[in-house]
Amino acid sequence: MGDYSSLIMIALMVVVFYFLLIRPQRKRQQEQIQMQNSLTPGTQVMTTTGLFATVVGLDAEDVILEIAPGVETRWVKAAIGRVLTPVDDAEGVKDDVAVTDDDVVETAEQQGDSQDSTPKKS
């Protein structure tokens, strides 16, 4: 009976590892491949290294990215980390809050006053 209980525990651990680790990882890989295959020119992307760019052209396994106006580089599709979706700038922006030069000057003067009040050693 002891031999069967250890065998059942090992089988149970394999099943748990499958559902907690292997299956979600495969799902993420399939989603990543689907995203990379659905790229079209004009799409804004971020590479796995953090470079933001716009897709200009596609090849079999390569993507041509424009990282600045007139600067194009060739990357493998696997280097595309995610597709960026445009965010509406009107959301979350308050028009009634504005920083003026007077606010900046006052802040600098306040910092200068606090620094001058410290005793200096000779």
Side-chain angles (χ1 to χ4, degrees), residues 55-96:
V55 176
V56 176
L58 297 165
D59 219 0
E61 292 297 319
D62 296 337
V63 158
I64 299 171
L65 300 178
E66 184 177 42
I67 57 176
V71 180
E72 296 178 356
T73 58
R74 181 178 296 270
W75 294 69
V76 294
K77 284 184 181 179
I80 305 300
R82 65 180 176 182
V83 174
L84 302 176
T85 56
V87 178
D88 188 12
D89 291 336
E91 293 179 15
V93 177
K94 296 182 180 180
D95 292 331
D96 59 342

Side-chain angles (χ1 to χ4, degrees), residues 14-15 18-19 29 40 43 46 49 54 60 64 76-77 79 85 90 109 120:
V14 169
V15 169
Y18 176 77
F19 282 107
Q29 285 175 342
T40 59
T43 305
M46 184 180 83
T49 59
T54 304
I64 299 171
V76 294
K77 284 184 181 179
T85 56
E109 289 172 358
K120 297 180 182 177

